[in-house]
Amino acid sequence: QVQLVESGGGVVQPGRSLRLSCAASGFTFSSYGMHWVRQAPGKGLEWVAVIWYDGSNKYYADSVKGRFTISRDNSKNTLYLQMNSLRAEDTAVYYCARDRVAVAVYYWFDPWGQGTLVTVSS
Amino acid sequence: EIVLTQSPATLSLSPGERATLSCRASQSVSSYLAWYQQKPGQAPRLLIYDASNRATGIPARFSGSGSGTDFTLTISSLEPEDFAVYYCQQRSNWPRVAFGQGTRLEIK
């Protein structure tokens, strides 16, 4: 079955960097757009970034543009999120999510991984 | 920026009752709206996309309707496992997609 497993979260000081990974299995990873979505503790959902199935396009939320970089390695079935210049307001559970449709990007998130918690604190 | 406003913030109902959740967009999103369910400690799950299409494996008691600015998620007869938080999401002006603030469906 389709499975997404995030890793790399933890506690980091403001201004430092962290890289998240999302290992995918159970589907043809190279055929799907992939997203990162985050959820601050006790809050709602915020879309963070998308990467096209072939890596040709990447888009970011204004709140992370210039600080975060999304990437993928289709040979390893893995999605990444490089987070630099972290701020307290970046504290959240970070979910990776697959786009619902193959070889297109529709911004419908299905399914989601279980999430990894990033805490930015001194 | 398109803002999605969900109402009510909290809905208290009993199993077997009908639930009606609302999502209003600040400007038209056509039919580019989805609904997600999130249970405590779990990731969200896609229920409905394109306003009225059920995602794979979603029970028929879940239905979505609406277009333009006003949308509704209806659960025809609540099961115990349906009590959760529900989010709407629009993709009309991608990549600036947005979620509503959520409706908590709790057991009365």
Side-chain angles (χ1 to χ4, degrees), chain A residues 37 39 43-47 52 59 62 65 95 100 106-110 112-113, chain B residues 32-34 36 38 42-44 46 49-50 55 87 89 91 94-97 99:
Chain A
V37 179
Q39 186 171 35
K43 302 297 184 182
L45 301 165
E46 179 187 18
W47 174 81
W52 254 234
Y59 296 99
D62 289 344
K65 197 175 298 182
Y95 297 100
R100 198 190 73 84
Y106 281 94
Y107 288 81
W108 298 145
F109 312 122
D110 183 32
W112 301 53
Chain B
Y32 299 130
L33 191 105
Y36 297 84
Q38 186 177 32
Q42 296 186 18
L46 178 67
Y49 64 93
D50 290 341
Y87 294 95
Q89 176 236 328
R91 72 167 195 94
W94 70 270
R96 285 180 169 77
V97 299
F99 291 89

